[in-house]
């Protein structure tokens, strides 16, 4: 197997997770393994953190399963998290969360740490898929 990021081809993994409090932990561990095994250990920490934030949001604000897709295309790796809630998170809320707040920082971390990111609602898709997809990209190679 070719683990050299410069010569390895594109790849994709999908992880299905239930609406379960263990989902963020399972997603973190899976992402770390993918990034390390594919020769991107320098991106593993940030990918793990940002994925954990998105999967935690999926668990907190959705009442169904979620899926995590990790895809390398050329020099970039994109991580997408789909959940069943079509409502996109509010990003225009002024101010910072209180120092002792237990939530409110996840998307700000994604905005600050990812090379690019975005999200969109899924409604009336031909496959019957509804909900939302939030993604981020990190440079690789």
């Amino acid at each position: 197997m070719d683990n050299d990021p410069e010569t390895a081809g594109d790849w994709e993994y999908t992880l299905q997770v239930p609406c379960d409090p263990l989902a963020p932990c399972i997603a973190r561990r899976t992402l770390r393994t993918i990034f390390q095994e594919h020769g991107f250990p320098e991106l593993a920490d940030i990918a793990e953190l940002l994925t954990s934030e998105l999967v935690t949001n999926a668990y907190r604000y959705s009442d169904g399963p979620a899926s995590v897709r990790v895809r390398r295309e050329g020099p970039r790796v994109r991580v997408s998290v789909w959940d069943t809630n079509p409502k996109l998170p509010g990003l225009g809320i002024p101010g910072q969360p209180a120092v002792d707040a237990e939530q409110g920082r996840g998307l700000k971390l994604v905005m600050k740490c990812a090379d690019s990111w975005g999200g969109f609602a899924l409604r009336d898709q031909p496959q019957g898929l509804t909900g939302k997809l939030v993604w981020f990209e990190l440079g690789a190679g």
Side-chain angles (χ1 to χ4, degrees):
M1 182 173 162
D2 186 358
N3 284 351
D4 181 1
E6 297 297 318
T7 60
D10 296 343
W11 42 260
E12 181 176 316
Y13 293 87
T14 302
L15 171 66
Q16 307 293 328
V17 294
C19 188
D20 183 271
L22 291 177
C25 176
I26 305 259
R28 280 193 307 272
R29 290 178 181 178
T30 301
L31 262 284
R32 175 160 297 280
T33 299
I34 291 170
F35 275 78
Q36 287 179 335
E37 293 300 320
H38 277 286
F40 304 115
E42 72 282 359
L43 297 177
D45 287 342
I46 193 65
E48 184 180 356
L49 172 66
L50 300 183
T51 301
S52 180
E53 293 297 335
L54 295 183
V55 174
T56 296
N57 285 350
Y59 168 69
R60 281 188 174 162
Y61 303 112
S62 177
D63 60 359
S67 69
V68 180
R69 185 170 72 171
V70 186
R71 183 178 68 208
R72 181 198 178 177
E73 289 184 351
R76 311 204 53 79
V77 178
R78 177 179 281 211
V79 177
S80 306
V81 176
W82 167 83
D83 68 52
T84 59
N85 182 350
K87 185 175 184 220
L88 290 169
L91 300 174
I93 302 169
Q96 297 290 329
V99 173
D100 59 349
E102 293 185 14
Q103 57 189 20
R105 294 179 185 83
L107 281 176
K108 290 181 183 191
L109 281 170
V110 172
M111 292 168 66
K112 181 166 178 58
C113 298
D115 292 332
S116 60
W117 75 280
F120 51 90
L122 301 167
R123 292 189 176 98
D124 303 322
Q125 299 294 307
Q127 307 87 352
L129 189 65
T130 61
K132 72 174 160 298
L133 187 79
V134 181
W135 58 271
F136 66 87
E137 288 185 338
L138 299 172

